[in-house]
């Protein structure tokens, strides 16, 4: 007699239903968060593949692939398959985000902060899916394409923070370095955001429109925007070097200094790729590598900033020797 109400409750509150019957280990929660982060990077790289192969309009419309078919047809050929494959990868990303939400909701004790971060990932994915559809319907408008990439970067931001938070507690954050160092990290974050935004302008005014036909480009001189992008990159590099040196001077924790070192390595590789692709007339393979590098640079910057504070996990208080609770055990 109680089966029907129980089934109804499971349908109405599926996350609570799962949480009552499953408790993931902290390792599983971390793996779920990492899966969402990896997929958020992979969707950017595959989106770049769509652009670089000229498959941006491989599917004629959205949300269907053609007016008469939900999936790609043989008539749409290679470009249709690439475009449709990237759309399908959005479902894999959604599954990864869903796993992150379920694992966070089922963790014991319940961590509402992780659950909120998981739901924020979900809404960003849905918003970017809609923006991707607008991009197709507007014939790959370069401003819509740029917004699509920036929203994907915001997803990487949230997934990176979520992954970090799975390794922490929910107590108030405590600084691990002096205040001026934390302010330097904010300058580094701001400069990197300018760098990423400038990169979207370089792409929007550059030769890779995303489709073989004539696509409207941003009305900026490509060489000039590339120079602005390069200057922004040098500013980020200077701030990253300053951060690495300052962390050594203030004797910051070992893991924090290691993240600053990793950032310098990623920036060096990304800068090398950027200059090579500029002087070799932006070949597709190097552009794809540069897009991956952009994601890795942003993740590295965030990890440096996040390592400057800590949230110790709450520990069960150990009773003192004269505590009645101790003698009662």
């Amino acid at each position: 007699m109680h089966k029907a109400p129980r089934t109804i409750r499971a349908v109405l509150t599926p996350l609570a239903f799962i949480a009552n019957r499953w408790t993931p280990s902290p390792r599983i929660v971390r793996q779920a968060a990492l899966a969402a982060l990896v997929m958020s990077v992979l969707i950017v790289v595959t989106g770049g593949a769509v652009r670089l192969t000229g498959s941006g309009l491989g599917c004629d419309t959205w949300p269907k692939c053609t007016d008469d078919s939900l999936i790609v047809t043989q008539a749409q050929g290679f470009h249709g398959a690439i475009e449709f494959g990237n759309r399908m990868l959005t479902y894999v990303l959604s599954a990864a985000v869903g796993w992150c939400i379920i694992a966070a909701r089922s963790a014991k004790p319940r961590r509402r902060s992780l659950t909120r971060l998981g739901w924020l990932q979900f809404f960003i994915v849905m918003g970017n899916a809609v923006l991707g559809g607008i991009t197709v319907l507007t014939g790959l408008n370069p401003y819509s394409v740029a917004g699509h990439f920036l929203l994907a970067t915001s997803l990487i931001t949230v997934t990176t923070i979520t992954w970090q938070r799975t390794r922490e507690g929910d107590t108030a954050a405590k600084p691990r370095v002096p205040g001026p160092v934390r302010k330097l990290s904010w300058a580094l974050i701001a400069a990197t955001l300018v760098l990423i935004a400038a990169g979207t302008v370089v792409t929007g005014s550059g030769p890779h429109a995303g489709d073989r036909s004539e696509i409207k480009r941003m009305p900026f001189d490509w060489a000039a925007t590339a120079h602005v992008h390069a200057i922004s990159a040098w500013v980020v590099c200077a701030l990253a070097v300053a951060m690495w040196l300052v962390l050594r001077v203030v004797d910051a924790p070992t893991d924090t200094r290691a993240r600053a070192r990793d950032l310098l390595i990623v920036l060096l590789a990304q800068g090398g790729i950027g200059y090579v692709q500029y002087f070799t007339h932006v070949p597709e393979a190097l552009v794809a590598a540069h897009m991956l590098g952009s994601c890795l640079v942003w993740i590295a910057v965030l990890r440096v900033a996040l390592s400057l504070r800590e949230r110790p996990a709450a520990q069960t208080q150990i009773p003192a020797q004269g505590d009645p609770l101790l003698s009662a055990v």
Side-chain angles (χ1 to χ4, degrees):
M1 293 179 63
H2 297 287
K3 288 185 177 180
R6 187 178 300 172
T7 302
I8 293 174
R9 287 197 299 271
V11 172
L12 295 178
T13 58
L15 291 180
F17 180 81
I18 296 173
N20 289 335
R21 288 157 179 79
W22 178 55
T23 300
S25 67
R27 181 181 179 183
I28 290 178
V29 177
R30 289 194 297 268
Q31 289 175 342
L34 179 59
L37 172 58
V38 171
M39 283 306 306
S40 66
V41 173
L42 184 59
I43 199 73
V44 170
V45 176
T46 57
V50 171
R51 165 180 288 276
L52 297 172
T53 57
S55 304
L57 295 177
C59 285
D60 302 333
T61 187
W62 185 87
K64 293 183 176 181
C65 198
T66 70
D67 291 332
D68 302 319
S69 176
L70 185 63
I71 64 175
V72 64
T73 64
Q74 187 175 2
Q76 290 170 297
F78 171 77
H79 296 303
I82 294 294
E83 163 75 1
F84 185 73
N86 186 63
R87 291 189 184 187
M88 291 299 98
L89 201 61
T90 302
Y91 292 101
V92 181
L93 171 61
S94 299
V97 170
W99 182 30
C100 182
I101 293 172
I102 293 172
R105 174 63 179 84
S106 302
K108 309 294 188 304
R110 183 176 178 182
R111 299 188 59 185
R112 296 181 184 276
S113 59
L114 286 183
T115 306
R116 293 191 187 101
L117 286 169
W119 279 111
L120 182 56
Q121 294 177 30
F122 171 79
F123 288 119
I124 293 175
V125 170
M126 294 301 101
N128 216 11
V130 173
L131 184 56
I134 293 173
T135 301
V136 172
L137 296 176
T138 56
L140 302 186
N141 181 283
Y143 297 99
S144 178
V145 172
H148 195 49
F149 178 77
L150 292 176
L151 201 53
T153 302
S154 69
L155 176 62
I156 292 175
T157 304
V158 179
T159 52
T160 301
I161 294 174
T162 306
W163 183 45
Q164 174 66 25
R165 290 299 306 275
T166 61
R167 300 170 177 270
E168 303 174 334
D170 288 323
T171 56
K174 297 180 179 179
R176 305 174 76 193
V177 295
V181 181
R182 298 196 300 275
K183 291 180 180 179
L184 178 61
S185 73
W186 283 110
L188 178 59
I189 289 174
T192 307
L193 287 173
V194 172
L195 173 64
I196 293 173
T200 63
V201 177
V202 173
T203 302
S205 57
H208 296 296
D211 184 72
R212 298 300 182 187
S213 59
E214 289 295 327
I215 299 294
K216 180 182 177 181
R217 313 303 293 137
M218 290 183 180
F220 305 112
D221 179 73
W222 180 75
T225 58
H227 285 306
V228 172
H229 184 59
I231 292 171
S232 302
W234 279 111
V235 171
V236 171
C237 288
L239 290 172
V241 170
M243 175 64 74
W244 179 73
L245 291 174
V246 167
L247 290 175
R248 294 178 67 86
V249 169
V250 301
D251 195 24
T254 303
D255 63 307
T256 300
R257 285 182 285 165
R259 291 185 182 182
R261 177 204 61 206
D262 295 342
L263 172 59
L264 288 177
I265 294 173
V266 174
L267 281 172
L268 181 63
Q270 177 74 337
I273 293 172
Y275 275 105
V276 171
Q277 74 170 359
Y278 177 78
F279 290 112
T280 56
H281 307 290
V282 288
E284 286 82 355
L286 287 181
V287 175
H290 200 61
M291 292 186 68
L292 173 61
S294 175
C295 298
L296 297 181
V297 165
W298 181 233
I299 292 172
V301 168
L302 290 174
R303 295 192 73 204
V304 169
L306 291 171
S307 71
L308 301 181
R309 90 288 180 277
E310 61 183 353
R311 296 176 184 269
Q315 297 180 350
T316 303
Q317 186 176 359
I318 301 175
Q321 290 295 322
D323 196 310
L325 292 175
L326 185 63
S327 59
V329 176

